Amino acid sequence: MDRRDPNRTRLRAAVLLAGLAAATAAWAAPTARASAKHNGDAAAALPDDADAQDNDTAADAQRADGEASTLRQMFALGEVDGNLRTLYYANHNAFFLDSVAGDHDRHTASIGGKLGFTTAELHGISIRLSTYAQRNFARSSDSNDLDETGYNRDLGRDIATLGEAYLQYDDHELRLRAGNQALSDVPFTATYDYRIIPQLYQGVSARYGGPDRYLSAMRIYRYKSRIADSYDRTTNYNADAFEAAPPNTRSETDGFWAVGGADKATFGASQLSGKAWFVNYLDYADMTYVEGKIADGNGTIRPFFGAQFIRETDDGRALLGRIDHHTYGAQLGIERRSLTATLNYDYIPRERDSVLNGALVTPYAHNEASGPLFAQPYLTSTQDLGAGNAYAAAIKGAPSEHTLLGARYSYMDLIPESGGESIGQSEYLVYAIYNLSGAFEGLSVSDFFAYQTQKTQDRDFWENRLAIEYAF
């Protein structure tokens, strides 16, 4: 646990939040310059001083391309971005813990956000910096729900921290990046940005290609979870860093390396896509992930079918113990305009002497997200629940331009212990997201409500997550 002076941490958070608010007001002002930026006009990034506006024609051409020709322009033509968020989480019998820690209802609200700056490119080179802050301003009075600083563990304590800080080279196909960064492509090792502060990674990465066809490789040395204010050698399995319930460890790791890619092709009326990754979680596990989909590219109603396969074994010191895991998944769905409906299934064979009866080990997604698994609940993660059969049916669509609605039912027929009983977990999820427009462009409101039952539990678990965000 972090034993720093909580008053000092609160002061850092308050100062950074004030800076975020001031920056938001300045950059969101309804000036012609801001309007041009929203319209994609590169000239909107020009500084306000007259000297910069009197540069020669060649420099103006560089601005139009978003490319700097001097070191000064590299910073002057940079862009500021960020968000302000407030989250309110309310739940009952959080994660079925009443039987362990007494009454475990959690109600907490947090406010915070991000302020980032990215320079313009100079010969393909750019710099990215961002900082985050969050503060709990309302919380449950239940002592079981609080950490040693007195703050709710679900949304995290008060934090003011450096986020991204990297140097990047990009020639439109090849991208090289070194430093503190977000990850998006790697299965079970991505940056899940649904709270105020996301997970971030420290290391080097390379990516060649476009959105659908690419090769990627990386070596990550350190990690910062959503409740940490610095990068270290822990994972979500570290009991003293992320409060991980067993299986857990107090040993640190040297991170991971990964290599993978994706491709997409069209054959007649069919579209084929696939991705494959190998990830070496040092001293935890070696994971191979393969996924493929085939879809009808024509017609109003477009059916598709997907399949996934995961193989994982223990690595090095095997900090969690023996790992012998397989996942076999299938997905059947249809698309019609904005509407997508799917039936999902994952089969995880039971392995008696393997972690959680043969479950998948995910050091950076444990107690966080189910990653790309087809069948998954919302409040808990499939890979943390054991081995067996996982089912899900989902539907989502946009009834209007600014509104997204969705629902999902999942059933986890999973057994966490050899010879044990299936948890028989059912979850019902409904959600709505609304993005405002016009004068309120950038403002969004979302609400997710999920209700879970388990055969092995006497009381049910539900949670409502309300989020209001302004992004600029």
Side-chain angles (χ1 to χ4, degrees), residues 332-379:
L332 180 64
I334 59 170
E335 292 181 345
R336 184 182 186 275
R337 297 179 181 173
S338 70
L339 184 69
T340 302
T342 59
L343 296 175
N344 307 274
Y345 173 71
D346 280 303
Y347 171 59
I348 305 165
R350 295 188 291 272
E351 293 291 343
R352 182 171 183 175
D353 297 324
S354 185
V355 174
L356 282 179
N357 203 25
L360 179 68
V361 169
T362 56
Y364 303 97
H366 173 60
N367 281 353
E368 192 72 67
S370 298
L373 285 171
F374 289 157
Q376 56 176 275
Y378 177 70
L379 296 178

Side-chain angles (χ1 to χ4, degrees), residues 197-266:
I197 299 179
Q199 307 98 303
L200 295 169
Y201 303 83
Q202 186 179 91
V204 294
S205 63
R207 192 178 193 277
Y208 179 81
D212 300 320
R213 178 176 295 174
Y214 64 84
L215 292 173
S216 182
M218 63 199 66
R219 175 66 171 96
I220 300 299
Y221 298 92
R222 292 174 180 267
Y223 169 66
K224 192 187 78 63
S225 76
R226 60 176 170 80
I227 60 173
D229 59 4
S230 61
Y231 292 79
D232 57 33
R233 297 170 61 239
T234 65
T235 72
N236 287 5
Y237 285 117
N238 279 88
D240 53 345
F242 200 75
E243 301 181 279
N248 57 25
T249 181
R250 292 186 179 273
S251 298
E252 295 185 337
T253 175
D254 289 325
F256 68 92
W257 64 268
V259 59
D263 200 358
K264 187 174 184 179
T266 300

